[in-house]
Amino acid sequence: MIEQTHGDIRLLQFESLAKQPGLAHAVTTRPQNMAPHRGVDRERSVTWRQQTCDILGFNFDSLTAPTQVHGGDSLRIADCDVGRGRTGRDGAVAYVDGLLTDRRGVPMLILSADCPVICVYDPVRPAVGAVHASWQGTVALAASQLVHMMQREFDSEPARLVAAICPSAGPCCYEVGEEVRRVAETKLTDTHRCFVERDGKLFFDLWTANRTQLIDAGVSLDNIETAGLCSICDKRFWSHRRDGAEAGRFGLMVGLQ
């Protein structure tokens, strides 16, 4: 990923998305905590959100975020949604983990502290979507549902979508119990590739699981960029597994300019 520093704020960008005219995005890093509701320095999170909007060229008043409920649903931003969640979860777009829009100047913010965030962009009919895909969201097919919503709302052809999988807990570190695999096997394809057994422990490969969903939904493998950065072992990112209850949140901010 491309790393840029703006004062004390370090932002990362996907090479594939950075090439798209009219699209602005960034993955935030520590020490900035983007979550007003929890973690270290939470009282400064709104200021950091404002500063990130300024860097990307967005008006903070239009920043829009979902509540993120560990499900698989995404929602198109309506007039009444613009600006919801910009200062915290209490006013966020309820009951969903993802948002999508074709509105220019309406940035979206999706938070994480180990969970993958999936972004898809249609360069032909400019529209963009992003979804928080925790292990529950991954099993609920959040990534493929986001692609289907892009098709339904914007007539996006999946083969032309450009997709990115943000930093998250990687297969090197994301240990789960057998009960997680049992649930995953009821929904996911190629689960034998999504779970790794090592030294008597079971690890969930969320990157492979979400990449497979995108491909199954029609996105070209060549159009999918995976950050490949593990939030648990890469200390540039907040990690609930590593940092515990005081973990802040990093996030993907993305929108059309």
Side-chain angles (χ1 to χ4, degrees):
M1 299 184 76
I2 303 167
E3 183 174 314
Q4 298 179 339
T5 302
H6 305 266
D8 64 344
I9 295 179
R10 174 176 53 195
L11 300 177
L12 302 179
Q13 292 185 314
F14 289 94
E15 293 185 6
S16 57
L17 296 181
K19 296 176 182 176
Q20 305 300 325
L23 181 73
H25 82 286
V27 175
T28 68
T29 62
R30 293 174 68 194
Q32 282 74 38
N33 173 14
M34 305 300 281
H37 63 285
R38 66 181 305 162
V40 177
D41 289 338
R42 69 193 77 178
E43 67 279 0
R44 301 177 62 190
S45 62
V46 172
T47 296
W48 285 323
R49 290 180 176 199
Q50 291 171 328
Q51 291 175 343
T52 305
C53 280
D54 290 343
I55 291 168
L56 296 181
F58 291 119
N59 185 334
F60 171 72
D61 289 342
S62 296
L63 182 66
T64 307
T67 53
Q68 300 186 201
V69 293
H70 296 274
D73 294 328
S74 295
L75 194 63
R76 181 176 180 174
I77 294 174
D79 289 343
C80 60
D81 297 322
V82 175
R84 293 179 62 186
R86 66 184 182 277
T87 61
R89 293 183 68 189
D90 288 345
V93 182
Y95 307 124
V96 295
D97 280 80
L99 299 171
L100 55 158
T101 190
D102 61 350
R103 297 165 181 261
R104 298 193 180 277
V106 179
M108 301 175 290
L109 177 65
I110 311 292
L111 302 178
S112 174
D114 282 332
C115 301
V117 175
I118 315 301
C119 181
V120 294
Y121 172 65
D122 184 343
V124 176
R125 198 285 201 203
V128 63
V131 65
H132 163 257
S134 64
W135 80 258
Q136 298 100 317
T138 296
V139 171
L141 306 179
S144 61
Q145 288 197 57
L146 179 61
V147 173
H148 297 325
M149 284 291 291
M150 294 286 288
Q151 289 179 279
R152 189 176 81 175
E153 298 292 337
F154 308 125
D155 292 323
S156 297
E157 295 181 8
R160 74 188 184 215
L161 293 176
V162 179
I165 302 173
C166 293
S168 72
C172 52
C173 298
Y174 193 53
E175 183 180 353
V176 297
E178 180 61 33
E179 65 278 7
V180 172
R181 177 159 59 180
R182 288 184 62 198
V183 174
E185 286 175 342
T186 68
K187 294 289 184 68
L188 303 182
T189 61
D190 294 335
T191 50
H192 65 282
R193 296 174 54 232
C194 300
F195 289 88
V196 179
E197 296 186 34
R198 190 170 61 246
D199 299 327
K201 298 177 181 179
L202 183 65
F203 298 85
F204 194 176
D205 186 347
L206 294 166
W207 302 338
T208 294
N210 283 284
R211 186 166 52 241
T212 299
Q213 281 186 46
L214 291 169
I215 294 169
D216 288 348
V219 181
S220 169
L221 176 60
D222 292 338
N223 288 352
I224 303 172
E225 182 177 354
T226 304
L229 301 174
C230 174
S231 56
I232 298 175
C233 56
D234 190 330
K235 293 188 177 181
R236 289 178 293 179
F237 307 102
W238 294 104
S239 167
H240 179 73
R241 284 287 182 101
R242 185 191 64 235
D243 303 322
E246 286 306 301
R249 297 292 184 269
F250 63 97
L252 170 71
M253 188 178 292
V254 63
L256 303 178
Q257 294 179 317

